[in-house]
Amino acid sequence: MSILVVAEHDHSTLKSATLHAVAACGKLGGDIHLLVAGHNARGAAEAPQLAGQLAENVAALIVNIAGPYSHIVLPATGFGKNIAPRVAASLDVAQVSDIMSVESPDTFIRPIYAGNAFATVQSKDAKKVITVRTTAFDAVVPEGGHAAIEDVAAPPGFEGIELLGQELTKSDRPELTSARIIISGGRGLQKGENFKMLEALADKLNAAIGASRAAVDAGFVPNDYQVGQTGKIVAPDLYIAVGISGAIQHLAGMKDSKVIVAINKDPEAPIFQIADYGLVGDLFEIVPALTAELSST
Amino acid sequence: MSTYHAPLNDIRFVLNELAGLEQVGKLPGYEEATPDTVEAILEQAAKFASEVLDPLNAVGDREGARLTEGGTVKTPTGFKDAYAQFIASGWNGLTKNPDFGGQGLPQLVATAVEEMWHGANLAFALCPLLTQGAIEAIELVGSDVQKAKFMPKMVEGVWTGTMNLTEPQAGSDLAAVRTRAVPQADGTYKLYGQKIFITYGEQDYTENIIHLVLARTPTAPEGVKGISLFIVPKFMVNDDGSVGARNDVHCVSLEHKLGIHASPTAVLAYGDHGGAVGYLIGEENRGLEYMFIMMNLARYSVGIEGIGIAERAYQRGLAYARDRVQGRAPGLDNAAPTQTILQHPDVRRMLLTMKALTEAMRAVACVTGSAIDHAHRDPDPAARKRHKAFVDFMIPIVKGCSTEVSQEVTSLGIQVHGGMGYIEETGAAQHFRDARITTIYEGTTGIQANDLIGRKTARDGGTVARAILGECTKVAIELSKSADANLKAIGAELASAAEALHGAVDWVVASYGAKPRAAHAAAVPYLKLWGVVAGGWQMARGAQVAARRLAEGKGDATFYRGKIATARFYAESLLPQATGLARAIAGGSEAVLALADEQF
Amino acid sequence: MKVLIPVKRVVDFNVKVRVKPDGSGVDTANVKMSMNPFDEIAVEEAVRLKEKGIASELVAISCGVAACQETLRTALALGADRAILIETNAELQPLAVAKLLKAIVDKETPQLVILGKQAIDDDSNQTGQMLAALLGWPQATFASKVDIAGGKATVKREVDGGLETVAMVLPAVITTDLRLNEPRYATLPNIMKAKKKPLDVVKPDALGVDVAPRLATLKVVEPPKRKGGGKVADVKELVAKLRSEAKVIS
């Protein structure tokens, strides 16, 4: 039995999501093969048509080499979610999305209903196509590798789709979905410019900035800051909720965080019920004090 | 965090099982109201109420409507957009005549939908409610020209309507109206005077406002028989329908109120700058008569307000009780040191009282709504007449009792929260404050009760009252004979409550002419007695249907069992009030009058 | 141009789902159901394409129980021209749905299929991509902007860390993300007109599709409850605890 992990990378380095996906495979057992589908990536599959990593091309390549593998594993990121179902349908197998746990080689636990229930599912297909919730598995340490590197030929490029460009949001901050620490602001911030206060704290902690739907609705910050059932679902090591009351839809997006800190002036705010460390008080005093405390020690 | 969600399951149950939606849909002209269309309407209205109107409810309370310089009004953040969305979605014309752009749906459907608007945002929903009344008046007695000129835009909602009755010296007593209407050579009138308490008398939602105004012509007789009804647009309307010059009606002040802060309550000055142009509706001196035709529906709608706000208060209280952990509930085999307050018997009693009263009033209102439709459209003239009599009798009860119930329910809503309920941020207090107006406007509870004892009960010697009560007693007897212990218990309580009410009807009929002051002193208890019994009657019918559905093994058993349990609670905990009220009516009214003025 | 819009009936966004005590799944009996919110966005986008004169006919499709007709009526009220229900009481998984949709696409030959990126019940995020694979069509998932001109769809996609723009030759599949548009509310006149629009019902057998599930759900449980409720007195204590107790900051 061997496993094919499809690497997420930028043609020079592996993205951390790959390391989490590999970690999940450790629990499946069997040889792990890593497919690096790219261009000028010194990796396995090399072809100009793979430069854009379009689902049509990457999926076709995976399907071509899928023969010997029992499992085909991708991270449940924008990259993996785009490609995996295309692979699964081409192989006429079901896909198991967003697994959080490996119970056995054919049985997995995955969240449904925005994490309000966990389903244990068993795949009846000979091949399992899986995407892995990266926050659920600790990353493997990328060192000491000794695997052979083998080239595979890429199938011809898919006609009918062309990558025109990418506009990556310019930010030195980590991405919301992969940040180890997230600081989120809610309606309690009162206006968009008060998010600057959170930025100062985020700089200290190398944290990403998020927001509740209320803050996004009020126009304080753009949509892509939104953490919640309809926004980003995050599970960082540390989630600091500032001026967020804790509507159920928000909790759905962050309650898997390993440690939750809540700062709110209303002691009855539901956010405190799930916070490991709650601090009741005026966020306009607490946040600067916290930034200062982290600077001083 | 607690928000309003339309109680669709309860509403469906009442529409389908108690109010006969299917039969209403078979009346000529209501064929569009098929069960699946109504279901889609309810779903979409619920969505609009929760997603558009509800989020503005607290904002509206905090910000309130403000008078700005130049006599214009700024409504709270978001209200103008929500109104634009409301009318763009076609909700304004739900029951209106299709000839003028309405959808011509039955009142029964409107009752369900309006409850959602009121529950989500009472202050917002008042605006379409008032427009509806004004449309009704123009449609009933306006000329063809007036209808063509004003109705399409009002039905669409791009112009709103208001009702200008009250003046500083003329509140419940409209005979005291002093606003003058002076006839002009061109057939129009010029109005001079001041009107107060004009809901949405000025707003920033629409380009024009159509005021319906009570005023006296120079030759008019004194008293109620000398009042005429006029259309006074804020902006004159050109022949092509476009909006022209500003008319001489101006908002000079907004009231500062206990509740419904988002609804601008205007003082309007007519004719300070030469006279406000008005158009007579119908004939001179018949204004009050027209107003009363239309006021029936307005009163009914205010009753729906009471139900909407009560439902909302219940939802908020329930959500809090499910979450709030406090103390150890007595008598539970539960190792947990503390439980949610929902586990505490008194909190359950309060919530169940709120739920039962709200459901009862909803059922009474919907059954009345269905009768309104039959009274309009039933092909059988005898049936139309019968339904009309029922509607006329029930309207003061729907208005008076639903709104009185909303006082109790929103108050209990605060009580469930304990101290947190008294804090404005919690939101329960707003419902209490908002609900408070409902027993006052469109005729106070006292006015409704006077109508009920006089025009509705005594005038025909109690014939209609006894006929309605007969229907109620029939249900009580059926249930009393049931083998089901729940139904039997409900039947027994209903029978004794109905009997008590019978006695009260006899007393009112006998006393109204003979002892008018005693009869009027007993009027409100009599109204409340009718509310308690009518509610018990409909709850009993609900239990009957639920038991039948359970026996058939159809639908959601948990829901039906809940209906039976709630009806039994109503029967055993609330219906016993009937005998007490009946005793107070027959035996207590003399004492009400016993105190001399100086002894107060 | 004909546009196909698959829509799914799901437990309403606002309902807090409860896991059945026997662990067999989530209790969906007598729970408020609505159109999957991402599919609403797809319907809205299609309606806008029609309003712009780009789309000529909008066909909404749903797969599932008879009650999915309500969801289709909603789509019709929002502006779809006609609807197709593929009616079955069987459990449908994304691969089966993709196959059913493919069968309809083969018959209807639309130029565009637009649907939600995922359903908020099973959160699979698969159907659109699977359909594209089965059809051999290009796909643009997680769309936040769609422009259609000259037989091509130019789509901005939400990717981790930003946006990506792809151009596809039609026919193609697009799946919608949250920022694509804000769906409108159905208007009362359109709700009433919806019932007069055609709604055809077909069975999976008639389409020759085997819908048997490939994944068995062994059990469904509630997520473990976080303890929560801990409080700290001040900033100093917070920082100390985050360092020494939680070990999440250095």
Side-chain angles (χ1 to χ4, degrees):
Chain A
M1 193 172 85
S2 55
I3 301 159
L4 181 67
V5 177
V6 181
E8 181 169 359
H9 61 91
D10 61 3
H11 304 281
S12 63
T13 51
L14 291 180
K15 293 205 175 169
S16 66
T18 310
L19 307 177
H20 294 279
V22 169
C25 298
K27 305 198 169 182
L28 291 170
D31 287 348
I32 300 171
H33 295 184
L34 191 68
L35 173 67
V36 180
H39 181 50
N40 292 332
R42 203 198 66 83
E46 274 276 348
Q49 67 269 26
L50 293 173
Q53 301 191 31
L54 290 166
E56 292 77 356
N57 295 326
V58 179
L61 168 61
I62 297 168
V63 170
N64 266 2
I65 64 167
Y69 297 105
S70 61
H71 295 78
I72 297 168
V73 177
L74 293 90
T77 55
F79 166 82
K81 289 172 180 174
N82 191 32
I83 294 168
R86 213 168 160 109
V87 173
S90 301
L91 297 171
D92 193 28
V93 301
Q95 176 187 320
V96 188
S97 291
D98 215 16
I99 64 163
M100 305 161 58
S101 159
V102 175
E103 300 296 287
S104 76
D106 66 358
T107 305
F108 313 93
I109 297 182
R110 59 177 304 266
I112 54 176
Y113 290 93
N116 285 308
F118 293 164
T120 305
V121 296
Q122 184 178 36
S123 167
K124 298 175 187 167
D125 289 313
K127 274 189 203 314
K128 281 87 178 152
V129 174
I130 295 165
T131 62
V132 173
R133 174 168 279 213
T134 54
T135 50
F137 299 89
D138 291 332
V140 294
V141 181
E143 59 186 25
H146 52 269
I149 296 178
E150 184 187 331
D151 284 339
V152 293
F158 187 92
E159 302 284 331
I161 185 157
E162 186 188 354
L163 177 66
L164 297 183
Q166 289 180 324
E167 311 159 33
L168 297 182
T169 312
K170 282 202 177 51
S171 167
D172 294 334
R173 280 184 212 300
E175 286 169 26
L176 201 45
T177 45
S178 60
R180 214 178 60 78
I181 301 180
I182 295 174
I183 301 166
S184 275
R187 196 163 14 209
L189 270 289
Q190 292 175 5
K191 50 187 170 182
E193 71 192 60
N194 291 335
F195 268 75
K196 288 212 181 81
M197 208 168 61
L198 300 191
E199 285 168 20
L201 177 58
D203 288 343
K204 283 279 165 264
L205 293 169
N206 189 30
I209 298 216
S212 68
R213 179 169 184 153
V216 171
D217 280 353
F220 297 172
V221 286
N223 269 315
D224 55 349
Y225 279 58
Q226 191 192 325
V227 172
Q229 192 175 10
T230 57
K232 303 223 164 49
I233 296 180
V234 298
D237 292 346
L238 173 60
Y239 188 92
I240 304 180
V242 182
I244 291 176
S245 64
I248 195 157
Q249 289 82 358
H250 186 74
L251 301 185
M254 47 65 77
K255 66 177 159 37
D256 293 335
S257 306
K258 293 200 180 68
V259 175
I260 296 175
V261 171
I263 299 170
N264 202 302
K265 68 172 182 209
D266 173 11
E268 293 300 325
I271 191 82
F272 285 121
Q273 289 167 17
I274 65 152
D276 301 282
Y277 303 106
L279 188 43
V280 178
D282 181 359
L283 67 92
F284 295 102
E285 289 167 17
I286 291 172
V287 173
L290 185 54
T291 311
E293 178 70 19
L294 290 167
S295 309
S296 69
T297 49
Chain B
M1 161 171 168
S2 167
T3 52
Y4 172 78
H5 297 292
L8 286 175
N9 286 339
D10 287 337
I11 289 176
R12 278 186 202 110
F13 178 76
V14 172
L15 293 190
N16 295 318
E17 304 282 22
L18 303 181
L21 176 65
E22 205 180 331
Q23 289 85 328
V24 168
K26 286 176 183 152
L27 295 172
Y30 290 149
E31 295 86 353
E32 297 271 5
T34 56
D36 53 340
T37 300
V38 172
E39 175 59 27
I41 291 170
L42 296 179
E43 292 266 350
Q44 294 301 319
K47 188 172 158 76
F48 193 89
S50 298
E51 294 177 12
V52 180
L53 302 183
D54 169 56
L56 299 177
N57 191 50
V59 179
D61 184 55
R62 274 197 308 274
E63 288 184 21
R66 299 266 176 265
L67 188 64
T68 58
E69 278 176 46
T72 60
V73 162
K74 185 163 180 347
T75 50
T77 310
F79 275 63
K80 186 177 171 160
D81 288 345
Y83 183 81
Q85 235 176 327
F86 182 84
I87 62 169
S89 299
W91 293 115
N92 206 58
L94 192 117
T95 55
K96 302 300 169 302
N97 187 339
D99 294 345
F100 298 100
Q103 294 300 324
L105 284 163
Q107 179 58 45
L108 181 57
V109 177
T111 301
V113 171
E114 282 176 22
E115 181 194 323
M116 301 183 206
W117 306 152
H118 296 312
N121 195 328
L122 189 64
F124 174 92
L126 266 171
C127 186
L129 189 158
L130 268 297
T131 305
Q132 163 182 297
I135 293 169
E136 185 96 349
I138 297 174
E139 185 165 21
L140 276 173
V141 283
S143 67
D144 287 346
V145 173
Q146 287 168 343
K147 287 181 199 174
K149 198 166 189 175
F150 297 106
M151 279 188 56
K153 298 232 169 169
M154 293 174 77
V155 167
E156 193 186 343
V158 293
W159 297 347
T160 61
T162 71
M163 316 270 279
N164 291 234
L165 285 65
T166 309
E167 296 175 11
Q169 76 295 346
S172 294
D173 179 15
L174 292 170
V177 159
R178 279 208 297 251
T179 296
R180 290 182 299 129
V182 182
Q184 306 294 304
D186 63 357
T188 66
Y189 292 73
K190 285 214 163 160
L191 275 74
Y192 305 89
Q194 196 185 68
K195 292 285 178 182
I196 63 167
F197 296 170
I198 309 310
T199 302
Y200 278 94
E202 180 61 46
Q203 38 82 356
D204 56 2
Y205 296 168
T206 58
E207 61 168 8
N208 206 0
I209 304 173
I210 310 306
H211 304 291
L212 292 199
V213 188
L214 289 183
R216 286 182 186 284
T217 57
T219 56
E222 281 301 303
V224 292
K225 294 211 155 49
I227 296 172
S228 306
L229 184 61
F230 297 89
I231 298 175
V232 183
K234 175 180 168 186
F235 286 94
M236 304 306 292
V237 177
N238 300 321
D239 289 341
D240 64 359
S242 63
V243 164
R246 184 76 165 84
N247 200 359
D248 186 11
V249 48
H250 296 276
C251 174
V252 293
S253 155
L254 289 187
E255 306 295 351
H256 299 258
K257 309 187 295 288
L258 178 65
I260 53 166
H261 291 159
S263 161
T265 303
V267 176
L268 292 182
Y270 287 84
D272 282 358
H273 308 282
V277 178
Y279 309 97
L280 179 71
I281 306 191
E283 295 169 28
E284 278 190 14
N285 300 330
R286 293 184 64 185
L288 216 52
E289 179 190 330
Y290 302 150
M291 217 30 131
F292 272 108
I293 301 174
M294 155 190 96
M295 205 153 9
N296 249 352
L297 193 61
R299 287 179 168 176
Y300 177 77
S301 291
V302 173
I304 311 303
E305 290 185 343
I307 296 160
I309 193 91
E311 170 66 34
R312 189 183 179 123
Y314 168 66
Q315 288 184 15
R316 189 181 285 275
L318 178 61
Y320 188 77
R322 280 194 197 284
D323 261 5
R324 175 75 167 170
V325 174
Q326 202 75 178
R328 178 155 196 175
L332 283 187
D333 292 336
N334 191 329
T338 57
Q339 278 99 16
T340 61
I341 60 172
L342 182 60
Q343 301 312 320
H344 292 256
D346 186 57
V347 173
R348 293 180 93 82
R349 177 194 62 80
M350 289 192 277
L351 286 167
L352 195 45
T353 304
M354 295 166 79
K355 178 177 162 69
L357 285 173
T358 307
E359 288 182 12
M361 287 302 113
R362 176 183 297 121
V364 171
C366 287
V367 166
T368 306
S370 165
I372 292 174
D373 294 322
H374 281 279
H376 281 155
R377 296 285 173 87
D378 202 301
D380 171 13
R384 277 206 302 277
K385 199 175 161 210
R386 194 175 65 244
H387 287 292
K388 172 87 168 51
F390 179 76
V391 170
D392 286 345
F393 192 87
M394 292 305 291
I395 277 180
I397 297 168
V398 170
K399 199 285 180 184
C401 297
S402 301
T403 61
E404 287 291 338
V405 154
S406 78
Q407 310 307 303
E408 182 174 354
V409 172
T410 55
S411 177
L412 284 172
I414 293 178
Q415 194 71 18
V416 165
H417 286 76
M420 292 305 292
Y422 199 64
I423 305 297
E424 285 289 355
E425 280 89 335
T426 314
Q430 187 196 342
H431 307 324
F432 181 66
R433 291 185 289 99
D434 283 353
R436 195 61 192 84
I437 185 63
T438 61
T439 61
I440 299 171
Y441 58 19
E442 296 298 343
T444 61
T445 305
I447 300 262
Q448 306 305 324
N450 289 347
D451 181 40
L452 187 66
I453 58 165
R455 263 190 299 273
K456 306 296 162 68
T457 300
R459 185 189 275 181
D460 70 355
T463 311
V464 171
R466 290 192 193 100
I468 293 170
L469 200 43
E471 296 295 315
C472 169
T473 306
K474 230 187 268 174
V475 173
I477 292 168
E478 272 173 42
L479 291 182
S480 308
K481 291 181 189 155
S482 170
D484 179 312
N486 283 313
L487 297 188
K488 202 176 172 68
I490 294 167
E493 290 292 345
L494 184 60
S496 64
E499 196 186 322
L501 178 51
H502 243 294
V505 170
D506 292 344
W507 183 89
V508 165
V509 170
S511 310
Y512 190 75
K515 304 184 277 186
R517 287 186 60 75
H520 281 83
V524 169
Y526 177 70
L527 174 88
K528 288 192 171 175
L529 171 55
W530 262 104
V532 168
V533 175
W537 170 26
Q538 297 308 325
M539 292 300 274
R541 288 184 63 216
Q544 207 172 13
V545 172
R548 196 183 316 138
R549 295 283 171 257
L550 280 172
E552 292 163 354
K554 276 188 195 160
D556 182 354
T558 310
F559 176 81
Y560 290 128
R561 278 195 282 270
K563 284 284 163 213
I564 294 171
T566 308
R568 182 157 181 176
F569 167 82
Y570 189 103
E572 293 182 336
S573 291
L574 303 175
L575 264 181
Q577 293 169 9
T579 38
L581 284 164
R583 287 183 59 195
I585 291 162
S589 58
E590 302 286 352
V592 173
L593 304 163
L595 214 59
D597 288 1
E598 62 275 17
Q599 289 171 305
F600 275 97
Chain C
M1 172 175 97
K2 188 193 280 187
V3 179
L4 224 64
I5 317 136
V7 294
K8 186 175 185 184
R9 179 173 181 266
V10 298
V11 171
D12 187 79
F13 182 82
N14 287 303
V15 172
K16 171 129 181 67
V17 294
R18 291 207 168 84
V19 171
K20 289 188 203 166
D22 66 359
S24 64
V26 159
D27 196 355
T28 55
N30 306 304
V31 166
K32 179 166 160 53
M33 307 293 279
S34 297
M35 188 190 295
N36 177 37
F38 290 104
D39 297 339
E40 275 188 340
I41 294 172
V43 172
E44 175 66 29
E45 196 64 19
V47 172
R48 290 184 190 187
L49 288 173
K50 190 169 180 201
E51 285 169 348
K52 285 184 208 152
I54 295 166
S56 53
E57 188 186 21
L58 310 182
V59 184
I61 302 189
S62 196
C63 307
V65 296
C68 293
Q69 289 200 20
E70 288 169 20
T71 312
L72 289 169
R73 290 289 173 205
T74 305
L76 293 170
L78 289 168
D81 298 296
R82 61 189 172 89
I84 301 170
L85 170 63
I86 305 172
E87 189 183 337
T88 172
N89 292 325
E91 179 198 348
L92 292 177
Q93 292 178 348
L95 183 60
V97 173
K99 288 178 180 178
L100 292 171
L101 294 176
K102 178 181 184 294
I104 298 292
V105 169
D106 289 344
K107 279 189 185 174
E108 294 277 343
T109 63
Q111 287 295 290
L112 179 65
V113 178
I114 186 164
L115 69 165
K117 72 167 181 181
Q118 76 190 65
I120 61 164
D121 49 4
D122 65 12
D123 286 332
S124 287
N125 196 329
Q126 298 175 3
T127 305
Q129 295 92 312
M130 286 182 158
L131 176 62
L134 296 177
L135 290 166
W137 288 7
Q139 70 185 44
T141 52
F142 323 143
S144 68
K145 189 168 192 304
V146 173
D147 285 304
I148 292 182
K152 277 193 166 184
T154 307
V155 179
K156 272 200 186 352
R157 303 179 53 234
E158 304 262 1
V159 295
D160 296 335
L163 294 170
E164 172 178 300
T165 309
V166 295
M168 299 186 290
V169 178
L170 299 177
V173 173
I174 293 175
T175 77
T176 59
D177 214 323
L178 204 59
R179 286 202 285 176
L180 180 57
N181 60 50
E182 197 174 318
R184 71 193 63 191
Y185 292 93
T187 69
L188 181 59
N190 286 343
I191 294 168
M192 295 180 64
K193 277 178 212 148
K195 114 176 134 168
K196 297 184 184 97
K197 293 182 178 177
L199 192 160
D200 296 321
V201 180
V202 293
K203 302 276 178 181
D205 289 353
L207 299 171
V209 175
D210 171 18
V211 297
R214 305 290 190 83
L215 298 179
T217 299
L218 304 183
K219 69 172 176 195
V220 175
V221 296
E222 302 250 2
K225 291 230 180 339
R226 167 180 290 277
K227 265 222 198 88
K231 291 268 168 73
V232 289
D234 55 25
V235 165
K236 265 201 185 335
E237 188 190 344
L238 175 63
V239 171
K241 289 220 162 138
L242 289 177
R243 280 191 176 131
S244 59
E245 194 175 87
K247 298 193 171 86
V248 284
I249 60 171
S250 48

